[in-house]
Amino acid sequence: MSTASRPARSRVAHELKLRTVTVRAVTDLTAHLRRVTLTGAALEDFASVGPTDHIKLFLADPSTGLVHLPDGNGGVTPPGGASVRRDMTPRAFRPDSASGGPELDLDVVVHEQADTPDGPLAVWIDTVRPGDSVSFVGPRGSKLVPEGYARAVVAADETALPSVARWLELLDPTMDVLVLAEVQGPGEEAYLDGLRPGVEVRWLHRGDAAPGASSVLAEAFAELGAIDADTFVWVGGEATSLVPVRRHLRRDLGLPAAQAEVQGYWRRGVGDYDHHAPIDPSDPD
Ligand SMILES: Cc1cc2nc3c(=O)[nH]c(=O)nc-3n(C[C@H](O)[C@H](O)[C@H](O)COP(=O)(O)OP(=O)(O)OC[C@H]3O[C@@H](n4cnc5c(N)ncnc54)[C@H](O)[C@@H]3O)c2cc1C
């Protein structure tokens, strides 16, 4: 099937509502990924069926320590200050968990930020404890996995590894999947264990380079060479470092936007990065 004849990824809309839940557990998964398991009746009709879904977590304003919640629609600035929110991937949802009631896992990067103050999510993941309360909205909708491809290349840094895990679970089991994963070092490599039989994972160590300041993903794509029309590509991670990756896929290899999606999840030196902004302003979609 040619790329032009493949349907775009289907979308499913979800009711957008504010949910307030309780932290049931906090678990270190790898050297830099910590899982927060949430529970509560507010999760009962939660739904997330796409690999790139995200929720918006309401966090304390670092300057006041206060959490400002929006109204029930999730969109209105409340009295007393603007809401502070950060995007997170709903990693796993269990409507009937073994511990009782619904559970939602969020896997958060514990990032060391030497040059700027910690952001609200970094503060939260350092201090969150079982019994804490937290609120979120979303996902607003789910973009389903694409159909009609024989293979996929899925690439990410640590922030998008939860999405990669969801891609591995949701992609058709007959597809061959290659993962390119940028991480600081071997301490993260257990994260994708056991998720998909036969998957090839290339762990790319950036070593002493700061997060977002490494070219290991761009180099790995250059080494792959040509990518045929039967291979879907998804890349998520630090926006500036993904500009050369996107240029390679879209300009050098000529892959259309529907076949090669490149998504900025954060931008080095920028707080509250807007992931809807084009990662390459000189060549927006
Ligand atoms: C769709 C989507 C899904 C996401 N899913 C996840 C997820 O499941 N888990 C997850 O951990 N993150 C995820 N992210 C990324 C997360 O939202 C950002 O990293 C967020 O900016 C972190 O917020 P903060 O409050 O710590 O820092 P901010 O206040 O946003 O930024 C403060 C400083 O920290 C830097 N910074 C931000 N993130 C990092 C990082 N990871 N490493 C080093 N420096 C950083 C910024 O460049 C800035 O200098 C997702 C982002 C998107 C768009």
Side-chain angles (χ1 to χ4, degrees):
M1 198 188 292
S2 76
T3 303
S5 62
R6 287 197 176 93
R9 286 170 67 192
S10 311
R11 290 173 188 268
V12 177
H14 305 295
E15 187 190 348
L16 191 65
K17 56 164 133 169
L18 183 67
R19 300 172 198 269
T20 298
V21 293
T22 304
V23 174
R24 176 171 269 170
V26 180
T27 316
D28 283 334
L29 300 176
T30 64
H32 292 98
L33 277 159
R34 185 167 293 163
R35 173 161 295 170
V36 180
T37 301
L38 306 173
T39 191
L43 286 174
E44 266 159 18
D45 57 350
F46 180 84
S48 168
V49 289
T52 50
D53 288 358
H54 62 281
I55 61 168
K56 286 190 179 290
L57 209 54
F58 292 95
L59 299 165
D61 181 331
S63 61
T64 61
L66 298 175
V67 180
H68 297 292
L69 295 181
D71 74 359
N73 296 320
V76 177
T77 300
S83 296
V84 171
R85 39 183 121 184
R86 292 292 181 271
D87 293 315
M88 288 297 309
T89 303
R91 166 62 194 97
F93 177 58
R94 294 173 292 281
D96 292 301
S97 72
S99 308
E103 280 183 348
L104 175 64
D105 291 335
L106 307 177
D107 293 350
V108 187
V109 178
V110 181
H111 60 87
E112 290 132 25
Q113 198 55 38
D115 45 355
T116 51
D118 281 344
L121 183 62
V123 171
W124 184 71
I125 197 59
D126 263 355
T127 53
V128 63
R129 297 287 177 267
D132 288 358
S133 186
V134 67
S135 301
F136 70 88
V137 291
R140 183 188 292 272
S142 297
K143 226 173 146 185
L144 306 184
V145 292
E147 291 175 8
Y149 291 93
R151 288 169 290 281
V153 178
V154 180
D157 70 6
E158 289 92 337
T159 59
L161 280 180
S163 291
V164 171
R166 298 209 59 188
W167 278 108
L168 294 183
E169 290 170 342
L170 291 169
L171 281 168
D172 189 294
T174 62
M175 285 173 79
D176 285 331
V177 182
L178 168 65
V179 175
L180 304 174
E182 175 191 326
V183 291
Q184 188 198 0
E188 312 308 322
E189 292 184 7
Y191 184 72
L192 299 176
D193 280 359
L195 286 178
R196 186 183 176 97
V199 63
E200 183 186 354
V201 183
R202 294 188 196 165
W203 294 99
L204 311 168
H205 297 168
R206 68 173 170 270
D208 292 335
S214 164
S215 54
V216 290
L217 276 176
E219 288 157 16
F221 271 103
E223 273 171 31
L224 282 187
I227 292 178
D228 67 21
D230 282 328
T231 303
F232 174 77
V233 183
W234 184 85
V235 191
E238 197 279 329
T240 304
S241 71
L242 294 188
V243 171
V245 173
R246 186 176 178 281
R247 285 183 185 162
H248 172 68
L249 294 169
R250 303 283 275 277
R251 293 186 192 173
D252 303 345
L253 301 184
L255 304 184
Q259 189 189 346
E261 294 184 20
V262 182
Q263 173 81 63
Y265 268 30
W266 64 287
R267 191 185 285 279
R268 194 154 180 250
V270 174
D272 195 16
Y273 171 68
D274 173 10
H275 69 105
H276 297 294
I279 66 166
D280 186 356
S282 73
D283 179 23
D285 273 322

